[in-house]
Structures are given as structure tokens and as C-alpha cells.
Amino acid sequence: MTTHQPEHQRHRNRSLQDTGNVKLEYGADDEGKGVVQVHSRWNNIHLSLVCVLLGISLIMILDGCRSSSESWVLLGSAGTLIWDWTSVCVVLLFTVLQVALYYLPVGQVTEGKMGCDGKRLKYKLNGLHAFLLTVVLMLVLWFAGVLRAGAGTVRIFSLVSAAMAVSLIFSLTLFLCPIRTPSSAHVTYNTGMTPQLLPVYPQRLRSEVMCVCLCCTAKPLLKFVLGHSMDPRLGLIDVKHFVMVRVGFIGWAVMDLNYLLTAVEMKNSSLALLLVVVFQLIYILDFLVDEGSVLTTKEFTDEPIGFIMILGEFIWIPFFSSLPAYFLLQRPNHIHFLSAVPICLLFAAGFLMYYLSNEQKDGFRRNPSDPAYARLNTIRSPAGSSLLVSGWFGWVRHPNYSGDILMMFAWCLPCGFTSVLPYLPALQCFHLLRQRANEIEESCLKKHRDAWREYCRRVPYKLLPCVY
């Protein structure tokens, strides 16, 4: 389905925050100011468990990837450090490098959502250049003998611990010294269930901008964990954009490349590991080429930035997403060239489904009278827009999400079927995309009513044709 309105957004599996735990209600106060009430179902127990157990569970998952012949030790193999200061320095150096690369005088500056001052927020989109320079620098240091990839891999547990510590310090700084800018909406919390408005907008601004209010019980903890600022900025750097793109995705690419170089150093490289790393680098590269797509995602536009988001970008995206590569480094799986062919075809099919369905959707939205879409069937909606019910959106209702799922399962298959661990990122992706699809469908049903019901009747499957 495609409409003139942005119900379907390009999506990357990237947020740790469970969108099912917050509910946004749009309205206006007595003065006509735009208001978003965000009702959260998080409580002290949920927040404490997530904050404490997330890093521990990630270390245990990584530990479970070790060869079954090794003795099991809680929270790390025997002789493996959980903490060392070298790892802290590595994480800090990577973060500082990405801050420096953010200021590169290349890349376009694009406008995003409306800020509280009535002006569009501007973002520097040079993530692709930062990614390429980071990779080149890493390879130069490796070839020069300055960097030994294996030294990073054996410190994987301490790197996770260091990333947790850095994200905690980062979050505490953001919490104790909040960044007050005219363009950033501030979030307040109420101890009751009646929302309170925070008047952060000038009197002249009406429905064009929003004031954000979260209503829940654990006020101090929620402000720290979920955040109390929507779009904090440090100079040119938008903090949310920085941690999502530069720390999360480029950090993921660095870990993939590090695992591949470690395999070369150990003379234990394999076709399976090469496939996983190449597939994931293509996925990351495609995201960075279209970096502006993140600016319209729900996580970016509607959720404040707090400890849980920063922690997710520092540890979950780089280390959990690269889990299949780490698994193959610990448990090599040698596959035949002929076995690699269908896996490559599956990844290519997923990539094409994701890319072409988004192109069809965006093109139809821009110009529905384009001759390229003349043969496509549509349903007229009472909202005044058209629902596209053929082409890619005639197969399933969310083909872009289907493509995402196929790609992620494609880079898990080289790991074989001896363990479920390398499939955990793909399973998490499926769960998050299924949740997002349900949210979109609820919104579309309210907006398009009978037209949406007719579309669901004609296209009965959400994500996987003939399956789901």
C-alpha cells in the first residue's frame, strides 16, 4: 500500500526502545498549542531490569558463541577480562573520531522535522564519508602493523563493558547538564495519570510545533532512562543523529571488519564469514547512502533520547547486530561454493524487494499520475489519497519490511544450524518489524476506514506471502 501520506517509512532495525511501551496522542491545549501526550507503561522494575541486564545478557550471548569444547564460565571465558582500561580508550577514541568526522566539510545539509522555534531542524548528512574514512584509517593502521584486529576480538567482553560505561557517562552528562536550545522540545513527567504541559513554545507558535509530555510514575528514573529532551544539540552535532548513525551503524561496520581481519590474522577465513561481513556491509552502506531516511523514522521524530537509546546504540547495534560474524569466528562453518549461491540469491531478492518497493512507494507518492504507475491498481480513500494495491504492494502490505527480513536471515544462514544464537538478531528484527507493521495498520485503519479494509481483503498477507 502506498499513499500520498507518509504511513510507510524506510526502516532499519535499529532502536532498542520498545515502541509498544509508549503511546502518542496528538491534540492541542486551550491556547491552541500543539501537544503530544506520550503515555508510557514503563515502571521502575522494567527500567531497572533493562538497564542492569542488557549488557550482562549481551556478554552471555557472546560468551555462548564460543566453541562447545571450551569450559563455560559465567560472564566470560576463563582468562578473558570483563574490564580493562585499554578497551575504554578504544571506545573513547572511536567516539572522538566520529565527532571529528561529523565536522567534515562535505556532505549535504538537509532539513528535518519542525523545531520548537518554528524553524526546520538541519542535519549534516556526511555519514557515508565518515564511514569510508573510518574504514580506510582502520585498514591503513592494520596493514602498517599498528592495529592488530585479534587484540580487539579477544577484548570483546571488556569492549562491551567499556561501551556501557561510556554510554552511562554520556547519559548522566545529558541528564545532569541538559542542553537547552530553542529548537529542542523538553520532556516532563507527571507522577499521576493527568498530563501536564510544559510551555516551551513561544506564544506566536500554534499547531505547527509540539510540546511533549510523558505521563507515568517513575519520574527521576524515567527522565534519565527514556530521556527528557527530544533533539539536544552540541554545536553542529545533533546528539540523537550522532549516536544512531555514527556510533551505531559505523560501529557495527567496524566490528564486522575487525572480525574479518581477525580471521585473516588467524589464517582461518572462510567463505561463510566473508558472506556475512559483505552482506552486512552492503546493508550498512545502503543505509548511509540514504542517511536522510532516518530523519523520518518514528524513533527519530517521536522519542526523546535517554540512557536506553544511547546504550542501545553503543552496545546493541555494534555488538549484537554483528553476532553472526562473531559466531563464525568462534565456530567456523565451511560451506561449499554451490551452497553460497542460493544464500546470495536470497539476500539479493531481499535487497531488491526493499529497494524497489520503497522506490515505487516514494515515486507514486510524489507523482501518482506518472505513466510508470498507470497500470497499477488503486483504491480511493475517504481521506483523499489513493491506496496502491498492485505491484510490490499487491504481494504483501509491507514489502519493504519483507525485504529487510529476507536480508537478515540471508546473512544468518552461513552460520549453519548448530545454534540459535546467530539467528537472534534476525528474530529480533522480525519481532520489531511485525510490531511496527501493526502500528501502521492501526493508523491506516483509522484514516482510510473501509478503503483499508478492502485493501486488507485483496492483500491478506502483512510480511511474508502465503505465510504471514
Side-chain angles (χ1 to χ4, degrees), residues 11-239:
H11 183 274
R12 290 300 191 195
N13 175 28
R14 38 173 315 86
S15 178
L16 184 64
Q17 288 180 281
D18 185 357
T19 55
N21 283 316
V22 293
K23 179 183 178 182
L24 278 72
E25 296 180 0
Y26 295 83
D29 64 1
D30 295 337
E31 298 180 356
K33 296 180 181 178
V35 175
V36 178
Q37 298 174 6
V38 187
H39 300 272
S40 176
R41 295 194 296 270
W42 289 94
N43 58 37
N44 283 327
I45 297 177
H46 294 149
L47 293 171
S48 301
L49 286 175
V50 170
C51 295
V52 173
L53 297 180
L54 183 65
I56 296 175
S57 63
L58 178 58
I59 291 177
M60 294 185 70
I61 290 171
L62 291 168
D63 193 36
C65 293
R66 294 178 300 116
S67 173
S68 57
S69 61
E70 298 181 33
S71 59
W72 186 83
V73 180
L74 181 63
L75 295 182
S77 305
T80 302
L81 294 176
I82 298 296
W83 177 268
D84 71 61
W85 289 103
T86 300
S87 298
V88 176
C89 293
V90 170
V91 175
L92 288 175
L93 284 174
F94 170 77
T95 305
V96 171
L97 173 63
Q98 297 310 312
V99 170
L101 294 179
Y102 202 100
Y103 283 91
L104 284 174
V106 293
Q108 64 175 345
V109 177
T110 188
E111 293 184 342
K113 68 178 183 179
M114 187 73 73
C116 296
D117 54 0
K119 299 178 182 179
R120 293 280 178 183
L121 298 178
K122 295 184 179 181
Y123 301 90
K124 187 71 172 290
L125 303 184
N126 60 0
L128 178 62
H129 303 86
F131 164 76
L132 294 175
L133 286 175
T134 301
V135 170
V136 169
L137 177 61
M138 187 175 179
L139 291 176
V140 168
L141 292 176
W142 185 73
F143 279 110
V146 178
L147 172 68
R148 194 169 70 87
T153 301
V154 297
R155 285 187 168 90
I156 187 68
F157 303 136
S158 59
L159 283 173
V160 172
S161 301
M164 291 175 61
V166 172
S167 62
L168 177 61
I169 294 172
F170 193 174
S171 302
L172 281 172
T173 303
L174 206 60
F175 176 70
L176 298 175
C177 305
I179 303 171
R180 305 295 184 184
T181 59
S183 61
S184 178
H186 303 299
V187 179
T188 185
Y189 296 82
N190 185 12
T191 56
M193 290 307 296
T194 302
Q196 295 179 345
L197 303 180
L198 182 63
V200 295
Y201 301 101
Q203 186 68 25
R204 69 180 186 276
L205 298 180
R206 299 300 179 183
S207 58
E208 289 85 359
V209 295
M210 302 181 298
C211 171
V212 181
C213 172
L214 274 70
C215 309
C216 24
T217 55
K219 182 177 177 179
L221 190 57
L222 276 170
K223 290 180 70 175
F224 170 68
V225 176
L226 297 184
H228 61 140
S229 183
M230 293 295 290
D231 304 285
R233 291 186 167 232
L234 289 170
L236 179 67
I237 298 178
D238 181 271
V239 177

